[in-house]
Structure formats: C-alpha cells, structure tokens
Amino acid sequence: MSARHRMPCRVAMLAALALANLAAPVAQSEESSRGIPDLVADPLLTRPPVLDAGAVLPGDEAPIACPARVDFTQALSLTDAVDTALCADPQAMAAWANIKLQAATVGEARAAYLPTLSVSLGRQNSDTRYPSFSSSNSNVTGNSSYVALNWRLFDFGERAANRASARDLLAAAMASYDAALQKTLGATVQAYFDAVTARAAYRARTRTAQLAGETLAAAQRRELNGVTGRSDTLQAQTALARAQLAELRAAGDRDKTRATLVYTLGLPAGTSIVLPQNSALPLKQDIADLAEWLDVAEARHPAIKAAKAQWEAAREKITSVRSQGLPTVDFGVNFYQNGYPNQSLSAVHSNTTVVGVTLSIPLFEGFSRTYKVREAQARADQSEAQLHDAQRETLGDVVKAHADAVSSLASLDASATLLESAKAALVSSRNRYEHGAADILETLNAQSALADAEQERIRSEADWRAARLRLMAAAGVLGQQAILNIDVPASAANSAVMRRPDQ
C-alpha cells in the first residue's frame, strides 16, 4: 500500500486519537461502572446544577447535606430527624436517580443535531479458484478501510420536539424530587410529633397513676381512723387500677410510635433514640386564608409542577411522532479504500470517495404512523388527566391541613383553660376530702378530669406544631428554616411565612 493510499486512513486514525487526547483526563463517573469509561462525562452540558450543588428546600439557603451527622445518644430534635429521613428515603433516592436519567435523555436529544463519524479497518485474504481455468486463479491479501460522515441537515421538527420533550421531562424529574422531599418532610413531622405526643401522654398517665396512689393512701388513712367506710378505699383501688392500666396502654403507644419514627427515619429496627424531655410552649401565629394557601400550592407545589411538565412533554411527543413521517435531508461523506464493507477485497488498490445529499420521503408505512400519532395523543390526554388528579389531590391535602391548623390553633387556649381549671378543681376536692367536706367520688371525678385535661393539652400542643408544618408541606413550601422557627418567638419574616405563604 502506497503512502498516498494510506493517507486517508491515517488521517482518520489521527483524528480519533486527537479526540481522545482532548478528552483526557478521563472523567470518572460518580459510581463505579463496568466496561470502558467515558471519554467525556458531560460533553453537551446537560447535567443540571442541582446534581452538583445539592437540593435546597424552600426558604433555605444551604443545600441538604448527606449523610446526616446526627448523634443519637443525645435528644433527637426535629431538624435532626428531618436530616436523617431526607438522606435515607428510598423514594427521594429514586427521584434523584431519575434526574440523572432525564439529563442523559436531554443529551441524546441534543446529540441528534451533531454529525456522526465512524471508521472501519480490516485486513482480508481473498482466494478465488477456477477449476476449469486455473490460470485465472487469484489470491489477494490486503487492507481495507471505510470512513463515513453523516449529518442530518433538515427535518420537520422531530429533533426540536424530542429536545423540548426531554427538557420538560428533566424539569418534571427535578420537580418530582422536590415533591418527594416534601412528602418525606410531612411524614417525618407527623411521625416525630406522634412519638413526642405519645411520650408526653405516657408521662401524664404516670402522674395520674401517682395521684391515684395518693388518693388511695388518703382513703386508707381515713378508713383506719374510722372516718369513712370500706367503700371509699375500694373505689380508690379501682381508680388506681384503671390509672395503671391506662399507663400500660400509654407505654405501648409510646413504644409503637417510637418504632414508627425509627422506621420513618430509615434507621435499623431497634435503634435507640432519645426524645426531648421538655418542649417550649407552642408559638401562636395567624394563619392565612385558605384561598391564599390554595393559590400558593397551585403555583409552587412540586407535584403539580412535575405533572405540568410531563403533560408538556407528552404534547411535544405528538409533534415528534408526526415529524417522523415527513421528509428528511441528510448530508453524507464516505471514503472507501480497497473495496466496500462486507465485500471481497479489490485486486487493485483503489480509493473511492462519495459525497452526497439524500432526501428521504416516507410514502407509505401501512398506516403505522397514524396509529403512533393516536398513541401519542392518548398519552397526552392521559398526562393531562394525571395533572388534574395531581391538582385535586394536592389541593385537597391543603384543604385538610388548613382545617386541621385552624382547629388546632383554636383548641390551644381552650385546652390551657381546661387544664388550669382541672388542676384547681383537684386541689380543692382533695382538700375538701381530707377535711371530710367531700366524698371520694368527687375526688376521683376531679382526678379523672385532670387526666383528661392533660391529655387534651398534650394533644393540642402537638397537633398545632404538626399542623403548621404539615400545612406548609401540603402547599409545597416547607423548609428547614420553618422547622427551626417552630417554637421561636416570631420575627417579621417568620410571621410572614404563616400569613403570606407565597413568600
């Protein structure tokens, strides 16, 4: 093979080597992978910044840091619980991986605008025998090469529609990840306050059992002194047994809610967690009207944003499918040395260059294109219905959460008044009983009323704390900052969060 004949092949090989050198150093993927590594990790710049900077919750400045650094030997705060849950939630992990998947799809759509280049090198031995004319036998050994450059110059919107659809699906993936975070936040807040409430209820039941024991001791003293009969002691014993039974049930609820919290945080079963001993008095805040919360959820909730983006992507897909049945214009350059691919080696050295523009016009596909378009239209209708369903479900959650928040706010003062009255009534009744001015039934009734009042107060405080955060999660605007401010005196900014949910 002469130097002149080898020149095109060498040029192609040198071009490939140069491309490899420009791509060095070889980019490493985030996870170990098998096979040949990529020369360039993201040559078309499709990777969204959130994958490198990290996700940021609404109202926060710093991104979510994983893995969460939490010391479980100390009292578990709500912020630590949220950090742990966000880093361990499998749905959030799957949504994060889906962002990478859709970013790769965007890259495929952008790559359709670029030319393709391929090189084929081969060495062949062509042995031809003619039994009747042995003088015509031939045996040729040589090299062959093939270089092809193809570039689509024009279509009727197929690539543009595919690129727009991929971009919408990437936006939907990022919104779906945010929606998964909001869902995890809501579940974690609920599980945390359920555990805190159950623990407080158990402590209240323990105090009730202690009071019942003190009442029984007072009844026994009065019986020994001959002031009262055996019936007072028996009734006090019954009240103590009832209080102890309620204490045991409260202990069971405490253990169950704590196990649920451990499961929600994604921790191994049996992990020991410590809940705070005392919590600050709940901060009362005004709540914006339901219409404002609904407007905010409609505009900002990531689940609705994701459904809208998926609908837009489905509509773009209709254009793409229609365009596939329209003409296309392609430019091609092919170089053949010593024959053509999949053919015998040429006996004479040859160089063949083919340059051309191809117009492809699909004439008839057996009506398959019609039904592909119908399929794309049906998928778009399906996506639109899913959007309406997401809107209805999300707004319905906002309505429920808003009603819970309003109700829990109204019950705060009532439960506080009830508790103070019950405490005063029990003190008065016990004093009256000690001095013989009241019977045992009055004391036991006051004791039972105090136990119920304590339970109502505990439930009211926990419901108000959880309802505020759950409302923000339902509207899609809950962040770490709102959690930190839950029991901190309201600043102007914090008050605005509850009064103006759109800020």
Side-chain angles (χ1 to χ4, degrees):
M1 183 183 298
S2 65
R4 180 174 60 86
H5 292 159
R6 292 194 300 267
M7 184 60 64
C9 180
R10 289 181 176 178
V11 170
M13 295 177 64
L14 289 174
L17 291 175
L19 179 62
N21 290 331
L22 288 174
V26 176
Q28 298 294 328
S29 62
E30 294 181 357
E31 298 85 8
S32 59
S33 60
R34 299 178 180 178
I36 302 175
D38 298 329
L39 295 178
V40 184
D42 187 21
L44 300 182
L45 305 178
T46 64
R47 183 179 176 89
V50 67
L51 292 178
D52 298 318
V56 179
L57 292 171
D60 296 344
E61 297 181 357
I64 301 171
C66 290
R69 304 182 184 276
V70 179
D71 184 5
F72 290 101
T73 61
Q74 303 297 322
L76 181 67
S77 65
L78 179 56
T79 54
D80 288 341
V82 166
D83 289 340
T84 304
L86 291 178
C87 293
D89 183 31
Q91 293 184 354
M93 294 179 184
W96 186 259
N98 191 40
I99 296 177
K100 300 178 183 179
L101 172 64
Q102 297 304 328
T105 304
V106 173
E108 294 178 10
R110 291 182 181 177
Y113 285 89
L114 301 179
T116 61
L117 176 65
S118 61
V119 178
S120 175
L121 303 175
R123 183 172 179 82
Q124 301 180 18
N125 176 267
S126 179
D127 189 7
T128 305
R129 300 293 178 180
Y130 299 95
S132 301
F133 305 95
S134 59
S135 61
S136 300
N137 294 345
S138 65
N139 186 289
V140 180
T141 300
N143 300 320
S144 64
S145 60
Y146 165 59
V147 181
L149 172 68
N150 295 286
W151 194 356
R152 175 152 295 181
L153 301 179
F154 177 77
D155 58 28
F156 281 85
E158 177 186 354
R159 292 176 297 177
N162 286 336
R163 184 178 60 179
S165 177
R167 185 174 59 248
D168 290 335
L169 289 177
L170 177 59
M174 291 189 291
S176 296
Y177 176 72
D178 293 338
L181 295 182
Q182 291 292 312
K183 183 177 179 180
T184 302
L185 284 172
T188 304
V189 166
Q190 189 63 53
Y192 182 85
F193 282 113
D194 284 347
V196 170
T197 302
R199 183 184 181 282
Y202 168 72
R203 295 176 63 184
R205 291 298 184 184
T206 301
R207 291 194 298 268
T208 301
Q210 293 174 351
L211 291 176
E214 294 174 0
T215 301
L216 174 60
Q220 289 173 340
R221 288 195 304 268
R222 289 173 60 82
E223 181 183 0
L224 289 176
N225 294 330
V227 179
T228 60
R230 180 64 176 167
S231 61
D232 283 9
T233 302
L234 293 177
Q235 292 183 67
Q237 287 177 343
T238 302
L240 175 60
R242 187 181 297 109
Q244 290 174 339
L245 178 60
E247 181 183 6
L248 291 175
R249 288 176 176 172
D253 291 339
R254 177 201 58 188
D255 295 339
K256 181 177 67 175
T257 55
R258 184 170 296 182
T260 302
L261 177 59
V262 169
Y263 175 80
T264 303
L265 299 183
L267 300 174
T271 300
S272 178
I273 58 176
V274 181
L275 295 175
Q277 293 291 333
N278 298 302
S279 59
L281 293 177
L283 176 66
K284 294 180 61 177
Q285 291 177 314
D286 294 334
I287 301 176
D289 293 337
L290 176 60
E292 294 184 39
W293 285 102
L294 293 177
D295 291 341
V296 171
E298 179 73 25
R300 297 181 56 181
H301 198 286
I304 296 179
K305 287 184 177 180
K308 287 181 179 179
Q310 289 171 349
W311 180 40
E312 293 295 335
R315 294 171 63 185
E316 294 290 347
K317 197 64 178 178
I318 299 175
T319 303
S320 173
V321 174
R322 286 188 184 276
S323 301
Q324 291 173 6
L326 299 176
T328 58
V329 178
D330 296 280
F331 171 75
V333 178
N334 298 280
F335 174 79
Y336 307 93
Q337 187 176 65
N338 300 333
Y340 298 94
N342 302 319
Q343 294 186 10
S344 61
L345 188 68
S346 174
V348 180
H349 292 300
S350 64
N351 293 327
T352 304
T353 303
V354 179
V355 180
V357 176
T358 303
L359 173 64
S360 301
I361 305 176
L363 296 179
F364 182 67
E365 299 175 312
F367 300 109
S368 64
R369 181 65 46 200
T370 300
Y371 292 105
K372 289 181 179 179
V373 173
R374 297 294 177 270
E375 178 185 359
Q377 291 172 336
R379 291 188 182 277
D381 293 340
Q382 186 180 49
S383 297
E384 184 179 8
Q386 290 172 349
L387 169 60
H388 294 324
D389 182 65
Q391 290 173 328
R392 183 175 63 177
E393 181 179 358
T394 300
L395 298 183
D397 291 341
V398 173
V399 171
K400 295 177 184 177
H402 187 271
D404 290 341
V406 172
S407 176
S408 59
L409 177 60
S411 66
L412 276 179
D413 292 337
S415 62
T417 301
L418 176 63
L419 179 60
E420 293 301 323
S421 299
K423 287 180 179 179
L426 179 60
V427 171
S428 175
S429 177
R430 294 182 68 177
N431 288 334
R432 287 161 51 82
Y433 181 70
E434 289 286 351
H435 294 85
D439 57 13
I440 190 65
L441 289 178
E442 179 181 336
T443 302
L444 295 179
N445 289 335
Q447 181 177 292
S448 177
L450 176 60
D452 293 340
E454 288 181 337
Q455 296 297 315
E456 290 297 333
R457 181 57 181 174
I458 293 169
R459 186 179 299 111
S460 297
E461 291 182 359
D463 286 349
W464 168 236
R465 289 188 175 98
R468 284 187 294 169
L469 299 180
R470 195 164 56 245
L471 175 58
M472 300 184 72
V477 294
L478 178 59
Q480 292 267 21
Q481 191 60 41
I483 295 174
L484 289 172
N485 292 337
I486 182 172
D487 286 324
V488 177
S491 62
N494 188 35
S495 298
V497 170
M498 295 304 295
R499 296 191 180 114
R500 296 280 308 278
D502 57 328
Q503 296 183 353

